[in-house]
């Protein structure tokens, strides 16, 4: 009965006004999400796709665009989910659809779709719109992709500002803008790169507006209420993580050196006194963080295992190099023996010479390619990974130094004394280092393990190719009966000939000592 009243033509004007306002908010959310995705497609398909290594170095390109590809994929998926959730309330005109979204929900609508506001506002249909549930279902992914993007955004802006002074880059940016000017209102690449920051910051406001026009008995009311709260919390976490990462980066990379020079001198001057204080009050135990301690204890062993893997690969290369050198010397000796004392067995001599040529080819070509492959696909990634451990290692060391400042700050607060500005700043640095390390160290361990595993898989593949090359090159030189099935056959053949060869060698004066 209540539903019939709200959907009848005689419904109160305030209710109609509320439904109309709610529909307009949903329309704004979906339409702006569509425009936002179009801007992301421009970044990907026009700017990033034409950014060649000749224009911008690969490292600069990575910093410049960050994870724009992940943002774009999430945006189109999120847009489709929003449209599905609001189909009964609002369907965008077909003219708004982005032509390249071939497999998305947005291109599967009927051609008869025009303006959704030609029909009357209907409370029954409005109750099928579940925008809040869509936000809740995608909040985790949203935080991941936007959190990563926002951490890199300042670096991208700085790199873009530096690159714009290059004539070739400026020409490229102008060409891209000329091609995109009719499909976006953004002035330049900088204006486009700020879009994700603006978009994610706007979600709480839109959700709040939608919540204010949603009655308490609406199926999506609680979801919207939770989505507003969670979206604000998400932005707070992203902002805190960015501040913490920036602070840690500035500490580890030494950009705060001028500010800390005086304090560094004081620390050196009173270092011994501080050490005695630490021993007396037991700061390490009093302010111990079990979670961090567990991660920090793993760092040393983790780092050593990584180095051991790298050293094993390097040792393999050294041993292989020596083995190839020995085989090459053996092949050269056979050829030299044939040149010095021609025998009555030309077939054997011919086989020796072909063997020598094959070994030289393997040494000069195949072995060079093998070493290059191992260096590029195995050693270089491992060395780069080892260098990446330097930052966390420095951060752990700096955290250890800052624990005294943190203890002093907490001690003052406990005694009801307001800590001075420098003490508060030092305590904030300790907290930032501690929290950031607890976030980054598990990621470092996981990614390092994955990298090493992939490197070892590559190493195995390279070795298989190396063995296959030797087999392919040497097989034509051997008769089918000469190819052993297992090692025991090699041992038997060797022992059968060894005695006779040894006896003949001992007949030579140069060997038996009679010379």
């Amino acid at each position: 009965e209540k539903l019939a009243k709200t959907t009848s033509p005689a419904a109160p004007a305030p209710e109609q006004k509320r439904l109309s306002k709610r529909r307009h908010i949903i329309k704004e959310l979906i339409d702006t999400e569509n425009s936002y995705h179009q801007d992301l497609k421009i970044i990907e398909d026009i700017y990033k796709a034409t950014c060649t290594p000749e224009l911008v170095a690969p490292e600069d390109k990575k910093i410049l665009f960050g994870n724009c590809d992940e943002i774009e994929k999430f945006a189109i998926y999120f847009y489709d989910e929003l449209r599905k959730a609001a189909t009964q309330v609002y369907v965008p005109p077909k003219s708004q659809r982005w032509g390249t979204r071939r497999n998305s929900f947005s291109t599967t609508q009927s051609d008869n779709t025009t303006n959704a506001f030609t029909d009357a506002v209907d409370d029954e249909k409005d109750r099928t719109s579940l925008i809040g549930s869509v936000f809740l279902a995608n909040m985790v992914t949203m935080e991941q992709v936007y959190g990563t993007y926002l951490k890199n955004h300042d670096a991208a802006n700085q790199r873009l500002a530096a690159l714009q002074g290059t004539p070739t880059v400026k020409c490229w940016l102008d060409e891209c803008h000329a091609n995109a000017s009719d499909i976006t209102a953004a002035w330049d690449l900088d204006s486009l790169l700020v879009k994700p920051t603006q978009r994610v910051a706007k979600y709480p406001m839109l959700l709040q507006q939608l919540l204010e026009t949603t009655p308490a008995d609406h199926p999506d009311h609680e979801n919207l209420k939770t989505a507003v709260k969670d979206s604000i919390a998400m932005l707070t976490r992203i902002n805190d993580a960015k501040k913490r990462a920036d602070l840690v980066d500035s500490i580890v990379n030494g950009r705060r050196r001028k500010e800390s020079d005086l304090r560094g001198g004081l620390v050196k001057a009173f270092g011994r006194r501080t050490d005695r204080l630490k021993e007396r009050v037991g700061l390490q135990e009093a302010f111990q963080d079990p979670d961090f301690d567990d991660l920090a204890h793993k760092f040393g062993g983790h780092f050593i295992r990584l180095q051991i893997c790298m050293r094993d690969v390097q040792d393999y290369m050294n041993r292989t190099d020596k083995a190839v050198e020995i085989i090459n010397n053996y092949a050269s000796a056979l050829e030299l023996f044939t040149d010095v004392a021609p025998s009555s067995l030309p077939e054997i001599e011919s086989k020796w010479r072909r063997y020598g040529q094959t070994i030289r080819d393997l040494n000069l070509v195949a072995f060079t390619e093998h070493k290059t492959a191992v260096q590029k696909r195995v050693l270089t990634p491992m060395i780069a990974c080892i260098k990446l451990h330097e930052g966390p290692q420095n951060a752990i060391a700096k955290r250890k130094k800052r624990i005294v400042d943190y203890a002093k700050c907490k001690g003052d607060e406990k005694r009801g004394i307001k800590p001075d500005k420098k003490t508060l700043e030092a305590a904030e640095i300790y907290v930032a280092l501690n929290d950031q390390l607890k976030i980054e160290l598990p990621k470092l361990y996981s990614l390092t393990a994955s990298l090493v595993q992939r490197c070892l898989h590559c190493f195995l593949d390279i070795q298989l190719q190396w063995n296959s090359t030797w087999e392919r090159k040497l097989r034509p030189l051997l008769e089918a009966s000469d190819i052993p099935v297992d090692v025991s056959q090699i041992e038997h053949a060797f022992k059968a000939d060894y005695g006779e060869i040894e006896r003949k060698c001992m007949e030579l004066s140069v060997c038996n000592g009679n010379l």
Side-chain angles (χ1 to χ4, degrees), residues 48-59:
K48 187 177 179 180
T50 59
C51 184
T52 62
E54 292 76 18
L55 285 171
V56 178
E59 296 80 8

PDB file of all heavy atoms in Angstrom, residues 48-59:
ATOM      1  N   LYS A  48      50.497   7.644 -24.104  1.00  0.00           N
ATOM      2  CA  LYS A  48      51.401   6.549 -23.734  1.00  0.00           C
ATOM      3  C   LYS A  48      51.759   5.681 -24.936  1.00  0.00           C
ATOM      4  O   LYS A  48      52.909   5.243 -25.076  1.00  0.00           O
ATOM      5  CB  LYS A  48      50.754   5.694 -22.644  1.00  0.00           C
ATOM      6  CG  LYS A  48      51.681   4.634 -22.067  1.00  0.00           C
ATOM      7  CD  LYS A  48      51.001   3.878 -20.934  1.00  0.00           C
ATOM      8  CE  LYS A  48      51.910   2.799 -20.364  1.00  0.00           C
ATOM      9  NZ  LYS A  48      51.253   2.065 -19.255  1.00  0.00           N
ATOM     10  N   ALA A  49      50.790   5.428 -25.809  1.00  0.00           N
ATOM     11  CA  ALA A  49      51.038   4.559 -26.962  1.00  0.00           C
ATOM     12  C   ALA A  49      52.044   5.161 -27.933  1.00  0.00           C
ATOM     13  O   ALA A  49      52.749   4.431 -28.640  1.00  0.00           O
ATOM     14  CB  ALA A  49      49.727   4.261 -27.685  1.00  0.00           C
ATOM     15  N   THR A  50      52.122   6.484 -27.994  1.00  0.00           N
ATOM     16  CA  THR A  50      53.051   7.141 -28.922  1.00  0.00           C
ATOM     17  C   THR A  50      54.340   7.587 -28.241  1.00  0.00           C
ATOM     18  O   THR A  50      55.178   8.214 -28.880  1.00  0.00           O
ATOM     19  CB  THR A  50      52.374   8.366 -29.564  1.00  0.00           C
ATOM     20  OG1 THR A  50      51.976   9.285 -28.533  1.00  0.00           O
ATOM     21  CG2 THR A  50      51.156   7.950 -30.363  1.00  0.00           C
ATOM     22  N   CYS A  51      54.483   7.258 -26.967  1.00  0.00           N
ATOM     23  CA  CYS A  51      55.689   7.651 -26.220  1.00  0.00           C
ATOM     24  C   CYS A  51      56.783   6.614 -26.470  1.00  0.00           C
ATOM     25  O   CYS A  51      56.884   5.605 -25.775  1.00  0.00           O
ATOM     26  CB  CYS A  51      55.366   7.758 -24.728  1.00  0.00           C
ATOM     27  SG  CYS A  51      56.732   8.353 -23.724  1.00  0.00           S
ATOM     28  N   THR A  52      57.586   6.838 -27.484  1.00  0.00           N
ATOM     29  CA  THR A  52      58.616   5.884 -27.894  1.00  0.00           C
ATOM     30  C   THR A  52      59.911   6.104 -27.114  1.00  0.00           C
ATOM     31  O   THR A  52      60.137   7.189 -26.556  1.00  0.00           O
ATOM     32  CB  THR A  52      58.898   6.031 -29.398  1.00  0.00           C
ATOM     33  OG1 THR A  52      59.389   7.362 -29.649  1.00  0.00           O
ATOM     34  CG2 THR A  52      57.633   5.798 -30.208  1.00  0.00           C
ATOM     35  N   PRO A  53      60.792   5.095 -27.086  1.00  0.00           N
ATOM     36  CA  PRO A  53      62.082   5.256 -26.387  1.00  0.00           C
ATOM     37  C   PRO A  53      62.933   6.380 -26.958  1.00  0.00           C
ATOM     38  O   PRO A  53      63.774   6.935 -26.254  1.00  0.00           O
ATOM     39  CB  PRO A  53      62.755   3.888 -26.589  1.00  0.00           C
ATOM     40  CG  PRO A  53      61.630   2.938 -26.817  1.00  0.00           C
ATOM     41  CD  PRO A  53      60.586   3.714 -27.552  1.00  0.00           C
ATOM     42  N   GLU A  54      62.729   6.703 -28.236  1.00  0.00           N
ATOM     43  CA  GLU A  54      63.487   7.805 -28.826  1.00  0.00           C
ATOM     44  C   GLU A  54      63.072   9.150 -28.233  1.00  0.00           C
ATOM     45  O   GLU A  54      63.879  10.082 -28.156  1.00  0.00           O
ATOM     46  CB  GLU A  54      63.292   7.836 -30.347  1.00  0.00           C
ATOM     47  CG  GLU A  54      63.908   6.656 -31.092  1.00  0.00           C
ATOM     48  CD  GLU A  54      63.097   5.381 -30.958  1.00  0.00           C
ATOM     49  OE1 GLU A  54      61.907   5.488 -30.593  1.00  0.00           O
ATOM     50  OE2 GLU A  54      63.647   4.297 -31.198  1.00  0.00           O
ATOM     51  N   LEU A  55      61.814   9.250 -27.817  1.00  0.00           N
ATOM     52  CA  LEU A  55      61.318  10.493 -27.223  1.00  0.00           C
ATOM     53  C   LEU A  55      61.597  10.559 -25.725  1.00  0.00           C
ATOM     54  O   LEU A  55      62.150  11.538 -25.225  1.00  0.00           O
ATOM     55  CB  LEU A  55      59.808  10.619 -27.463  1.00  0.00           C
ATOM     56  CG  LEU A  55      59.345  10.991 -28.868  1.00  0.00           C
ATOM     57  CD1 LEU A  55      57.836  10.842 -28.967  1.00  0.00           C
ATOM     58  CD2 LEU A  55      59.749  12.422 -29.200  1.00  0.00           C
ATOM     59  N   VAL A  56      61.203   9.497 -25.030  1.00  0.00           N
ATOM     60  CA  VAL A  56      61.318   9.454 -23.572  1.00  0.00           C
ATOM     61  C   VAL A  56      61.934   8.116 -23.174  1.00  0.00           C
ATOM     62  O   VAL A  56      61.514   7.067 -23.672  1.00  0.00           O
ATOM     63  CB  VAL A  56      59.933   9.619 -22.903  1.00  0.00           C
ATOM     64  CG1 VAL A  56      60.051   9.518 -21.392  1.00  0.00           C
ATOM     65  CG2 VAL A  56      59.301  10.945 -23.297  1.00  0.00           C
ATOM     66  N   ALA A  57      62.912   8.155 -22.302  1.00  0.00           N
ATOM     67  CA  ALA A  57      63.561   6.926 -21.841  1.00  0.00           C
ATOM     68  C   ALA A  57      62.537   6.024 -21.150  1.00  0.00           C
ATOM     69  O   ALA A  57      61.591   6.516 -20.524  1.00  0.00           O
ATOM     70  CB  ALA A  57      64.696   7.258 -20.878  1.00  0.00           C
ATOM     71  N   PRO A  58      62.696   4.695 -21.260  1.00  0.00           N
ATOM     72  CA  PRO A  58      61.733   3.776 -20.634  1.00  0.00           C
ATOM     73  C   PRO A  58      61.536   4.033 -19.144  1.00  0.00           C
ATOM     74  O   PRO A  58      60.421   3.917 -18.631  1.00  0.00           O
ATOM     75  CB  PRO A  58      62.358   2.396 -20.889  1.00  0.00           C
ATOM     76  CG  PRO A  58      63.178   2.576 -22.130  1.00  0.00           C
ATOM     77  CD  PRO A  58      63.710   3.977 -22.060  1.00  0.00           C
ATOM     78  N   GLU A  59      62.619   4.395 -18.430  1.00  0.00           N
ATOM     79  CA  GLU A  59      62.493   4.672 -16.998  1.00  0.00           C
ATOM     80  C   GLU A  59      61.618   5.902 -16.759  1.00  0.00           C
ATOM     81  O   GLU A  59      60.771   5.920 -15.859  1.00  0.00           O
ATOM     82  CB  GLU A  59      63.873   4.889 -16.372  1.00  0.00           C
ATOM     83  CG  GLU A  59      64.780   3.667 -16.404  1.00  0.00           C
ATOM     84  CD  GLU A  59      65.446   3.464 -17.759  1.00  0.00           C
ATOM     85  OE1 GLU A  59      65.316   4.362 -18.622  1.00  0.00           O
ATOM     86  OE2 GLU A  59      66.084   2.411 -17.960  1.00  0.00           O
TER      87      GLU A  59
END
